[in-house]
Amino acid sequence: MKQKRVHIVTMGCQMNVYDSEQMLRLLVPLNYRSTLRMDKADLILLNTCSIREKAEHKVYSFLGRVARMKRLRPDIIIGVGGCVAQQEGYRLAERAPHIDMVFGTFALGRLPSLIEQVKRQKRQIVDTNARAASEPLCVKGPVLKAERATAFVTIMQGCDNFCTYCVVPYVRGREVSRKPEEVLEEIRLLVENGIREVTLIGQNVNAYGQKNGQGCDFPELLGRVNEIKGLNRIRFTTSHPKDLSERLIEAFYRLDKLAPHIHLPVQSGSDRVLRRMNRGYSRDVYLRKVENLRDVRPGIAITSDMIVGFPGEERVDFEATVDLVRQVGFDSLFLFKYSDRPNVPAAKFSDKVPEAVKGERFSTLLEVQSEFTRKKNRALVGTTQEVLVEGPSKKLPNQLTGRTYCNKVINFADDMARIGQILPVRVVEAFSHSLLGHPVDKGYVEYSGENGGISYAA
Ligand code: 5AD
Ligand code: SF4
C-alpha cells in the first residue's frame, strides 16, 4: 500500500492536542504518516476550537486558505473535526463546500471509516452523532513523537457545570471518565517511552470518577499515578474552584511528584458576576482555597483565567476583579474579553458591555497582572531551579527550553543536556513570559529542591 501523508492543524486547548495525537494513532494503520508540510499532504485535518468567537474566526480564515489548495489539487481530502465541527455540523459543510468531511468531537474514533466513506462516495460526509456506548473515550496505544519528555493524558471529558458563558457542555457533552486502569496503563507506556512528566487533562478533572462508581476519585487517581516508577512530575488541568476538595488540596502536600502549580480559573472577582456566570462559589470561598493551597504547599504557583466585560459587569464589579487579582498575586493570568457563543444562556442576557469598555478593562487588568508576573519571575533570579529539559528553544537557536517545577518556561545553553533530563539551572534573568538560566556545574550539586528521589550526579 502506498504511503500517504497527513497534515494535522490543531487549534485550541490541550485536549485538542491530545485528540490530534489520537487521530494520528488511528491513521497509522491506514498507512498515513504525519507531515509538517501542508502542500505535500494527501489528507489535511483541522482540529478546531469554539471556546471564543476569535477561535472560531480562525477556523474560517484557515478554510479560506485550504480552498485554494483544493482547487489546485482536487484529490486531497480535507476534514474538519473538533468543537466547531460538533457545533456547526451541516452549516459548516454548506459554508465550505470544498471540505470533504465534518466530524464532531464524538466522532473522532470513527475517523478511519469516515475517510473510507469519503473515498467511496465522493460527497461531503457530516458526522456529529453521539459516541456509541461501545466506543471508547480514547484510542488505545501511544503514538509518541520522537524526542519529547512531556505528554498530556485525557482522564475525563465533558462538563456538567453549565457556566452561562461556556460552550463546552454543548460541544464536549456531559462528564465521562476513563477507567483508572486504562489511564495508568497509558501513563506506564508513556514512561517506558521516555516521558518524564504527564499532565492529566479534562474539562473539569475534579469531577473525575464521580459517575464511574469504581471508588476512584481524582485525589485517589493522583495517588496511584504518583506511584508509577520512572515518572518524575505530575500536573493536571483544569480544576474547577467549586470542586477543589480538601483532599485534593492535601494531595499537594502528600504527593512528592505533584508539581507545585495549579491552574484555578476564577473568571471574576465579583460575587454578583460569579452568580450570573453560575460558577457555584463566591469570591471569599475562592480566596480561602488559595490560602489553603499556599498553607499546604508554600511557593505553589497559582494561575487563572479571567473574563472581562461579562454581560451586566458594572464598574464596581470590575474593580472587585482588579482587587482580587491584587489580593491573590497570580503567577500569571489568561485574560479574555467576553464573547457570545451559540446557545449559551449569557448570549441572551440583555445588558451587554460595549466593546470599547471591554477593551479598556482588558488593558487595565493586563497592566495590573503584568506587574505581578514580572515580580514573581524576578524573585526567582539567583535561585537554582530543577528544570525538565523539553527540547531546543523555538525562539533562541542554540538554547534549550524546559520548565521549572512551578511551570515557568526557562531557556538555557547546555551542550551536554538531553531531552528528558532534570537538571539544576540557576536563573540569571527574568522576562515577562520566560526565564533565562545557566546550568549549574554538574557533578554533585547541593540542592534544596522538592522533587524527592532525583539526584544530580552527572
Ligand atoms: N467569552 C470569553 N471567554 C470565555 N471563556 C470561556 N468562554 C468564554 C466566552 N464566551 C474563557 C474562560 C475559560 C477559558 C478557557 O476561556 O476564562 O476558563
Ligand atoms: Fe476549545 Fe473548549 Fe473545545 Fe478545548 S474543549 S477545543 S478549549 S472549545
Side-chain angles (χ1 to χ4, degrees):
M1 214 190 329
K2 184 177 162 272
Q3 187 154 94
K4 288 161 288 181
R5 280 172 280 200
V6 54
H7 178 78
I8 306 181
V9 179
T10 308
M11 297 173 171
C13 66
Q14 293 98 327
M15 190 160 289
N16 272 10
V17 174
Y18 181 85
D19 284 353
S20 291
E21 280 178 25
Q22 295 206 84
M23 292 179 197
L24 208 50
R25 281 179 200 181
L26 288 164
L27 292 171
V28 168
L30 304 187
N31 223 15
Y32 279 99
R33 295 290 173 272
S34 164
T35 173
L36 294 173
R37 298 221 13 208
M38 189 157 76
D39 59 330
K40 298 277 182 218
D42 307 288
L43 171 65
I44 299 173
L45 296 177
L46 177 58
N47 194 0
T48 62
C49 171
S50 71
I51 191 81
R52 288 172 299 273
E53 208 173 19
K54 233 173 155 180
E56 203 172 326
H57 285 162
K58 250 170 81 181
V59 174
Y60 290 103
S61 75
F62 182 87
L63 287 177
R65 270 177 57 204
V66 288
R68 281 188 292 279
M69 201 168 282
K70 181 83 175 174
R71 249 177 276 135
L72 293 172
R73 295 172 52 214
D75 285 347
I76 49 172
I77 298 175
I78 300 173
V80 182
C83 296
V84 177
Q86 186 63 43
Q87 180 187 291
E88 297 299 313
Y90 285 96
R91 278 194 301 272
L92 178 59
E94 238 167 67
R95 195 168 157 179
H98 59 287
I99 60 182
D100 299 283
M101 62 183 175
V102 175
F103 58 107
T105 52
F106 308 115
L108 192 147
R110 299 190 283 268
L111 187 58
S113 67
L114 292 173
I115 293 173
E116 286 310 313
Q117 241 175 295
V118 167
K119 285 184 185 162
R120 257 198 334 267
Q121 302 181 355
K122 303 225 179 301
R123 63 169 176 84
Q124 272 188 319
I125 305 283
V126 177
D127 184 348
T128 51
N129 298 328
R131 196 183 303 109
S134 56
E135 289 177 297
L137 193 58
C138 298
V139 179
K140 267 199 160 182
V143 165
L144 291 178
K145 278 191 221 112
E147 296 274 279
R148 63 173 186 168
T150 65
F152 297 126
V153 176
T154 290
I155 61 163
M156 60 83 65
Q157 259 189 48
C159 183
D160 291 359
N161 285 321
F162 291 93
C163 300
T164 53
Y165 53 81
C166 188
V167 79
V168 167
Y170 309 92
V171 292
R172 288 279 181 183
R174 296 296 81 72
E175 291 163 359
V176 189
S177 300
R178 291 177 78 188
K179 292 198 177 73
E181 294 73 29
E182 210 182 289
V183 171
L184 294 167
E185 188 190 311
E186 181 166 329
I187 299 175
R188 278 190 212 106
L189 270 169
L190 288 165
V191 171
E192 274 170 27
N193 284 281
I195 294 298
R196 302 272 77 97
E197 171 186 305
V198 288
T199 304
L200 309 181
I201 58 172
Q203 274 81 25
N204 179 17
V205 290
N206 299 347
Y208 175 81
Q210 300 296 327
K211 291 181 187 166
N212 273 18
Q214 297 187 33
C216 181
D217 63 3
F218 187 52
E220 169 78 20
L221 180 74
L222 281 173
R224 289 168 72 176
V225 176
N226 196 65
E227 282 162 22
I228 294 178
K229 292 210 170 57
L231 180 70
N232 295 101
R233 292 175 169 188
I234 308 165
R235 302 185 190 280
F236 61 81
T237 197
T238 289
S239 182
H240 194 302
K242 154 175 85 68
D243 302 323
L244 179 66
S245 64
E246 286 284 315
R247 280 180 58 239
L248 184 53
I249 294 177
E250 268 170 27
F252 280 100
Y253 172 76
R254 246 180 340 110
L255 306 177
D256 60 335
K257 295 177 184 172
L258 186 56
H261 167 228
I262 186 164
H263 185 65
L264 199 60
V266 60
Q267 314 296 4
S268 171
S270 151
D271 279 339
R272 199 179 66 89
V273 174
L274 287 172
R275 263 196 309 276
R276 284 169 58 96
M277 286 176 163
N278 190 31
R279 289 293 286 171
Y281 55 85
S282 65
R283 170 196 173 94
D284 278 354
V285 165
Y286 185 88
L287 289 170
R288 220 168 314 127
K289 292 196 178 184
V290 165
E291 214 173 288
N292 292 347
L293 282 162
R294 285 177 169 158
D295 281 346
V296 301
R297 194 80 177 251
I300 187 168
I302 300 178
T303 57
S304 196
D305 292 345
M306 196 74 89
I307 298 176
V308 295
F310 184 77
E313 184 189 73
E314 305 269 353
R315 180 92 227 149
V316 285
D317 299 310
F318 176 65
E319 277 161 9
T321 293
V322 174
D323 186 70
L324 181 130
V325 168
R326 290 213 163 96
Q327 211 170 321
V328 175
F330 292 110
D331 286 72
S332 73
L333 189 61
F334 296 90
L335 257 181
F336 307 106
K337 285 186 233 171
Y338 169 81
S339 60
D340 278 343
R341 306 311 301 128
N343 305 319
V344 305
K348 294 193 196 76
F349 291 0
S350 56
D351 38 4
K352 297 280 159 61
V353 175
E355 281 306 314
V357 176
K358 282 187 208 168
E360 258 169 50
R361 292 181 184 170
F362 184 93
S363 312
T364 307
L365 202 53
L366 192 64
E367 215 171 290
V368 172
Q369 177 56 38
S370 301
E371 194 47 46
F372 282 100
T373 311
R374 271 197 299 270
K375 209 161 89 189
K376 295 262 174 187
N377 284 355
R378 270 201 305 259
L380 295 173
V381 173
T383 66
T384 298
Q385 300 289 320
E386 58 176 47
V387 173
L388 173 61
V389 183
E390 290 183 14
S393 158
K394 285 198 188 94
K395 281 201 193 122
L396 308 160
N398 309 326
Q399 294 221 353
L400 293 170
T401 194
R403 276 168 201 266
T404 68
Y405 209 20
C406 276
N407 211 30
K408 309 258 191 235
V409 174
I410 183 160
N411 296 302
F412 60 101
D414 188 330
D415 296 339
M416 304 297 283
R418 277 174 289 112
I419 292 173
Q421 264 186 321
I422 295 181
L423 301 170
V425 176
R426 186 176 299 283
V427 182
V428 293
E429 216 177 325
F431 308 106
S432 309
H433 300 292
S434 65
L435 305 168
L436 182 69
H438 281 325
V440 172
D441 250 359
K442 309 278 173 32
Y444 293 96
V445 175
E446 280 289 333
Y447 179 69
S448 57
E450 301 180 60
N451 197 7
I454 295 166
S455 86
Y456 293 116

